[in-house]
Amino acid sequence: MEQRDNSGVLFKNDKKDKPTAPDYKGNITVDGQSYWLSAWIKEGKSGKFMGLAVSPKEEANTSSPKKKSSIEDMESDIPF
């Protein structure tokens, strides 16, 4: 299923491992950018509502390369 711009989806979080974990998780696309979307069911003066949080999706390939340890640095400098 292709997601349209300026739309998103939420699914019930069946794997909620701690009380602070979101009740619903999903994603949303805004202006061509993909974001993670989280929602918590809360109780207020006027009744139940959903609190939302949005965070940018990080590309798996954009993670910074792992820095070599000092021993690895020394070994790579040895000419033989």
Side-chain angles (χ1 to χ4, degrees):
M1 180 177 132
E2 185 177 334
Q3 190 167 330
R4 295 181 185 162
D5 201 23
N6 298 321
S7 67
V9 294
L10 281 172
F11 300 97
K12 188 166 178 72
N13 183 6
D14 293 329
K15 298 178 184 179
K16 190 172 175 172
D17 56 351
K18 55 186 176 178
T20 57
D23 297 307
Y24 291 84
K25 295 180 359 177
N27 58 66
I28 188 168
T29 302
V30 178
D31 292 331
Q33 296 292 319
S34 294
Y35 299 90
W36 294 115
L37 182 61
S38 301
W40 292 262
I41 297 175
K42 299 184 175 197
E43 187 76 38
K45 291 180 183 179
S46 301
K48 290 186 178 183
F49 66 96
M50 288 183 133
L52 302 175
V54 178
S55 57
K57 281 189 176 182
E58 302 284 341
E59 294 289 331
N61 296 336
T62 61
S63 61
S64 60
K66 185 178 173 184
K67 185 178 177 182
K68 290 186 198 178
S69 69
S70 59
I71 293 173
E72 289 174 321
D73 288 335
M74 288 188 300
E75 289 176 349
S76 67
D77 291 339
I78 299 173
F80 53 93

